[in-house]
Amino acid sequence: MKGLNGIRLLLVDDEPNILQFLELGLINEGAEVAVASDGVEALKVAGRFMPHVVVLDVMMPRMDGFEVCRKLKMDGNQVAVIMLTARDEVEDRVKGLTLGADDYLAKPFSFGELLARINARLRNQFPNLLGEVEYGPFRLDDARKELFYRDELLELSPTEFELLKFIVMNNGVVLSKAYILQKVWGYDFGGEQNIVEVYIRSLREKLGDREHRLIRTLRGSGYRMDFP
């Protein structure tokens, strides 16, 4: 079971080895990960990626982690910031926490410790992501990989679960086949786009959506989930 499935994490550090190590580890935990190597880039990525958690190094070129943290928090954004530093000084901790950082971790640190800190922030700031969440007639328990429709548990394959979760969470949004493939099957998927049609057909059968009122087809555009 991937404990961070559905969680968006932004890693910010100017040391490529650290970025690569953390990125691979967190992807393996199921997270969706974006990276940035300096503070200016971090703010740009955060604006479009909308991370739940930012793991942020203090000492970086162009804009340090303190300033990035201040800007991330200034609009009241619900983002958890865990600051990293090679220095374990009390005044650095105080400065970071004063600017809105939610946690602080001194280098060197173990991956297990960082993972525990991330989970602690998620439990505190995004509890719905770790338990059951309701979306109209659907109830999603991502930790248990269960999806209920009108209180009935759906029997889904792993791919069906990820696909239905994705379109349910994007209710009302038109999703192209290419975008669905990218988000559900991944960037390295080498098959045909028609695989999406096959899985949509299967989901409609399991949902009793014979008239396609729940999962709508928009010719030339893709699919759209429709529920009140």
Side-chain angles (χ1 to χ4, degrees), residues 102-122:
D102 301 284
D103 205 347
Y104 211 99
L105 195 56
K107 296 178 181 180
F109 56 87
S110 69
F111 180 77
E113 182 178 7
L114 176 62
L115 190 59
R117 300 290 184 100
I118 290 171
N119 277 301
R121 297 323 316 160
L122 290 171

Side-chain angles (χ1 to χ4, degrees), residues 8-9 29 35 45 53 62 65 67 88 92 132 135-136 146-147 150 174 193 195 199 221:
R8 294 187 300 277
L9 287 166
E29 291 295 323
V35 300
V45 174
V53 180
R62 296 213 289 171
E67 182 63 10
D88 191 14
D92 281 348
E132 287 191 357
Y135 298 90
E146 293 179 342
L147 252 169
R150 300 194 186 282
V174 179
Q193 288 192 5
I195 192 70
Y199 274 85
S221 299

